[in-house]
Amino acid sequence: MEGGPAAAGRQVRLRPIRRRRATHELRPVPAVPRRVSRRRRRVSGEEADRIFDQIRQQRQRHVIGKLARSMIAVEDFHHYLFNEELNPPLRSQVHQDMTAPLSHYYIYTGHNSYLTGNQLSSDCSDVPIVKALQRGVRVIELDIWPNSAKDNIDVLHGRTLTSPVELIKCLRSIKEYAFSASEYPLVITLEDHLTPDLQAKVAQMVTETFGEMLYYPDSEDHKEFPSPDSLKKRIILSTKPPKEYLEAKDSKGKENGSQNGKDPNEEEAWGKELKDFKFESEFDDKDENDQSDDEDDVADDDLKLRQNSAPEYKRLITIRAGKPKGSLKDALSVDPDKVRRLSLSEPQLEKATESHGLDIVRFTQKNMLRIYPKGTRFNSSNYNPLIGWMHGAQMVAFNMQGYGRSLWLMHGFFRANGGCGYIKKPDFLIKTGPHGEVFNPRATLPVKRTLKVKVYMGDGWRMDFKQTHFDAYSPPDFYTRVGIAGAPDDSVMKKTKTIEDDWTPVWNEEFIFSLRVPELALLRVEVHEYDMSEKDDFGGQTCLPVSELRPGIRCVPLFDRKGNKFKSVKLLMRFEFV
């Protein structure tokens, strides 16, 4: 119901519901504002009746009579306000144009999707792949290597202590769960370390397992990628030009240790505060030309291997990866006659944005750019994805088995467009100006939109947590952090006052955010419990795409550290654009 909880065109003000605190029942619902902005859409009588019927059905009330159909009790209205299904903060349907080329979309992308934990010693399994697919991830990455007998293919993180899982097991699980959360295309990126005979075996496995679900182009080169709409319920492959695994680069060429003396394990159990996104490089000049961990880098001695690779394997590749010989500027060149995918590591991207930011934006208008975590993230932590998104990178690859605030942003970003895993990039990242100019992420931009966020109250912790979880002898002391993750000048965090000794805190505080790039802004919400002597306790979090917020008073469900939704914990918030 847009514009706050008004029913059938009339304003409603709730009287406080006085209840004994010992029963742990609901506190008073905050009074609904008397004035409703003229810019908000008022609901029709039919819409109100439909919502009332839904409320009654969920509350299992049996009201008879014409008069009763236009009325609901205060308890019913409270149920509506705190019901995520009836009063969600976001639209739940796919609503964007899905007929543009794949390069015009951000795609929900996983990194080393088969790992159950850290990058060095965890098990390889199809279980995290299934979990990622059920969450809506649309790009699954598999590292494929010969097994110990050199007669079959395993999936594992090479040159580590990770235990392998058979490729065929991963492929069968992918087939079963590929479209469990979204009908739009699933991309499998292959990090290939196989000999030509095993590449041919992969081609056979893939075609036999996926059958008609597998899509591949008629020719090797095409001028633009197909659209998500044209590839519904299809699986496509993406990989770099094949190379023999024995010729794979020495792992010593990978990033070694932390840079500038920083701890490689940058995120704690629930994530340190996000690193500021200020277009400043933390890397030394000696790294400028270091492409040692570029997954698409093709050495001279690999050219012969490319020619000898299995033809049946090569023809199945829809999104071809590869970096031309030469400088980074050469790698970012745009070929009018064909499209390709380029991969850059997290530090390579940061360095590239300093001198080639406009080239990156121009490249991503037509081609695909994949960003992956730096090699020192041994604990499967992640990085700030906004720098990639601001430059149009479609595949910002994350360790979905990881944790922390960066992953919360990823989860929140892809709640947009009905959670289908594909989000249309803003027009300014797709189109060029009349003189060929492209969007400059470094430019100082004017405020485009202002968002008002009011945090009314929260509830549900007493159902989802033990009575002694936060404090052994008293109710918890909750406060809420509210802010924006987005363009550098948009990013900010603010904080409510702390409500002491209350399981259902009422804050009634409003925050105003001026947004320069609202299309990429995420609303960050975190609830913590103040602890005087120790670190504050975690009480829930969520991230919501600002461009998809439904104006009005909304129920906002919260999630745990791993991104799993709490059963009962919710906030009541109001969103208003001015």
Side-chain angles (χ1 to χ4, degrees):
M1 188 183 297
E2 304 290 344
R10 67 180 185 279
Q11 309 290 326
V12 179
R13 183 178 179 87
L14 302 182
R15 296 183 180 278
I17 306 170
R18 301 187 180 278
R19 301 185 185 277
R20 295 173 56 197
R21 185 174 293 188
T23 63
H24 298 299
E25 295 188 11
L26 293 174
R27 295 284 311 284
V29 178
V32 177
R34 289 182 178 276
R35 301 183 63 182
V36 179
S37 170
R38 292 181 181 179
R39 299 176 63 184
R40 300 179 189 166
R41 183 179 69 85
R42 295 181 183 275
V43 299
S44 66
E46 287 119 5
E47 287 179 284
D49 285 340
R50 176 180 55 80
I51 293 173
F52 290 174
D53 289 340
Q54 288 178 301
I55 295 172
R56 292 192 191 95
Q57 289 172 10
Q58 290 203 5
R59 299 277 288 173
Q60 297 182 348
R61 297 176 64 92
H62 303 284
V63 183
I64 302 175
K66 184 175 181 180
L67 180 63
R69 284 198 295 271
S70 63
M71 300 176 61
I72 59 172
V74 172
E75 290 83 359
D76 293 332
F77 189 57
H78 184 279
H79 171 75
Y80 160 74
L81 286 177
F82 272 91
N83 189 300
E84 177 195 353
E85 295 180 11
L86 298 176
N87 190 32
L90 305 174
R91 288 180 282 181
S92 59
Q93 296 83 27
V94 175
H95 57 87
Q96 297 178 354
D97 173 26
M98 304 300 284
T99 61
L102 288 173
S103 55
H104 289 195
Y105 298 84
Y106 298 113
I107 310 175
Y108 205 174
T109 303
H111 175 256
N112 290 350
S113 306
Y114 50 87
L115 289 178
T116 57
N118 69 68
Q119 303 285 309
L120 298 178
S121 60
S122 65
D123 291 334
C124 301
S125 170
D126 62 329
V127 173
I129 296 173
V130 171
K131 289 181 179 179
L133 293 172
Q134 291 174 329
R135 189 180 283 278
V137 172
R138 294 290 83 198
V139 182
I140 296 295
E141 183 188 29
L142 303 177
D143 287 12
I144 49 179
W145 295 77
N147 65 356
S148 57
K150 305 293 188 294
D151 61 356
N152 211 333
I153 302 101
D154 281 340
V155 173
L156 75 155
H157 198 199
R159 303 185 182 92
T160 66
L161 300 177
T162 57
S163 59
V165 58
E166 290 185 349
L167 173 63
I168 189 63
K169 185 175 183 180
C170 296
L171 296 179
R172 287 169 179 166
S173 293
I174 289 173
K175 179 183 180 181
E176 183 176 357
Y177 293 94
F179 305 105
S180 58
S182 171
E183 64 179 350
Y184 289 96
L186 175 69
V187 182
I188 302 176
T189 59
L190 298 174
E191 184 65 27
D192 175 12
H193 304 274
L194 301 177
T195 53
D197 61 315
L198 290 179
Q199 290 171 0
K201 191 164 187 173
V202 170
Q204 182 181 358
M205 281 186 186
V206 167
T207 53
E208 290 180 355
T209 302
F210 298 138
E212 294 185 357
M213 297 170 69
L214 184 66
Y215 170 87
Y216 51 91
D218 296 330
S219 61
E220 289 190 7
D221 298 328
H222 36 280
K223 292 187 176 182
E224 69 176 17
F225 293 111
S227 71
D229 192 65
S230 68
L231 295 176
K232 283 183 179 179
K233 297 292 182 76
R234 303 299 291 271
I235 294 174
I236 60 179
L237 300 184
S238 176
T239 185
K240 63 182 182 295
K243 60 162 73 174
E244 189 170 348
Y245 85 100
L246 291 175
E247 297 292 331
K249 301 167 197 170
D250 191 331
S251 60
K252 293 181 181 179
K254 297 275 184 177
E255 294 175 74
N256 254 322
S258 59
Q259 304 208 15
N260 293 343
K262 294 189 177 182
D263 183 0
N265 297 325
E266 290 183 359
E267 300 191 34
E268 299 175 6
W270 57 280
K272 294 169 69 174
E273 186 52 77
L274 289 168
K275 174 186 171 184
D276 287 340
F277 169 30
K278 298 294 184 184
F279 296 108
E280 295 176 356
S281 176
E282 61 175 288
F283 304 99
D284 298 329
D285 292 339
K286 65 183 180 181
D287 296 322
E288 183 173 2
N289 298 314
D290 178 18
Q291 303 295 326
S292 60
D293 65 343
D294 189 336
E295 296 181 5
D296 289 345
D297 192 20
V298 182
D300 291 338
D301 57 0
D302 289 328
L303 297 178
K304 186 175 180 180
L305 292 170
R306 289 171 56 187
Q307 297 170 353
N308 294 334
S309 61
E312 58 270 69
Y313 176 73
K314 292 179 65 175
R315 73 183 178 91
L316 298 180
I317 302 171
T318 297
I319 302 177
R320 293 177 174 269
K323 184 179 78 65
K325 294 175 61 177
S327 65
L328 178 59
K329 189 173 182 64
D330 294 330
L332 293 169
S333 62
V334 178
D335 188 330
D337 296 322
K338 62 182 180 180
V339 290
R340 58 190 169 88
R341 190 200 88 196
L342 174 68
S343 287
L344 294 176
S345 68
E346 167 195 350
Q348 286 171 342
L349 174 70
E350 291 196 29
K351 192 66 179 179
T353 58
E354 291 186 346
S355 55
H356 300 290
L358 299 184
D359 293 325
I360 297 173
V361 173
R362 188 172 287 106
F363 178 85
T364 57
Q365 289 179 335
K366 181 177 180 180
N367 299 281
M368 305 284 279
L369 179 61
R370 174 176 170 269
I371 312 301
Y372 59 95
K374 61 185 179 182
T376 53
R377 293 190 179 276
F378 305 129
N379 64 344
S380 292
S381 63
N382 288 295
Y383 51 100
N384 190 336
L386 266 304
I387 187 170
W389 292 334
M390 283 284 290
H391 288 80
Q394 297 88 348
M395 297 182 177
V396 178
F398 262 37
N399 293 308
M400 296 299 168
Q401 78 280 17
Y403 43 76
R405 286 187 169 98
S406 295
L407 189 57
W408 301 348
L409 292 186
M410 182 66 69
H411 291 162
F413 189 75
F414 284 99
R415 291 188 180 112
N417 200 24
C420 73
Y422 285 82
I423 299 174
K424 189 81 178 292
K425 295 197 294 186
D427 284 345
F428 60 76
L429 285 171
I430 297 173
K431 300 177 180 178
T432 57
H435 304 292
E437 63 270 21
V438 297
F439 172 72
N440 184 359
R442 291 173 175 264
T444 300
L445 303 171
V447 172
K448 185 183 290 187
R449 209 170 190 191
T450 299
L451 171 66
K452 287 185 178 180
V453 177
K454 187 161 188 176
V455 185
Y456 284 117
M457 65 180 294
D459 192 23
W461 290 280
R462 69 193 190 284
M463 277 85 81
D464 292 349
F465 292 83
K466 294 181 179 179
Q467 294 295 305
T468 58
H469 178 85
F470 297 104
D471 286 305
Y473 303 107
S474 64
D477 307 323
F478 287 124
Y479 65 88
T480 300
R481 299 179 72 226
V482 183
I484 298 292
D489 291 336
D490 291 347
S491 300
V492 65
M493 287 300 289
K494 302 179 181 181
K495 178 181 169 183
T496 68
K497 60 182 176 290
T498 299
I499 303 299
E500 298 182 357
D501 298 334
D502 206 325
W503 282 100
T504 54
V506 176
W507 293 284
N508 279 336
E509 293 191 47
E510 186 173 74
F511 304 94
I512 299 177
F513 303 102
S514 299
L515 304 175
R516 291 157 182 81
V517 190
E519 297 89 345
L520 297 181
L522 287 163
L523 178 67
R524 295 178 54 194
V525 181
E526 298 177 10
V527 177
H528 300 273
E529 198 272 337
Y530 174 74
D531 196 315
M532 184 179 297
S533 59
E534 298 178 2
K535 182 178 179 179
D536 292 352
D537 294 318
F538 175 81
Q541 59 82 23
T542 192
C543 290
L544 301 170
V546 168
S547 62
E548 303 235 340
L549 288 174
R550 299 176 64 217
I553 298 176
R554 303 295 169 192
C555 170
V556 178
L558 296 187
F559 298 76
D560 65 17
R561 297 179 181 91
K562 295 182 178 180
N564 301 313
K565 187 163 62 177
F566 286 121
K567 183 178 180 180
S568 308
V569 178
K570 302 177 179 70
L571 297 181
L572 193 64
M573 305 178 70
R574 186 185 71 196
F575 309 118
E576 181 181 3
F577 292 99
V578 294

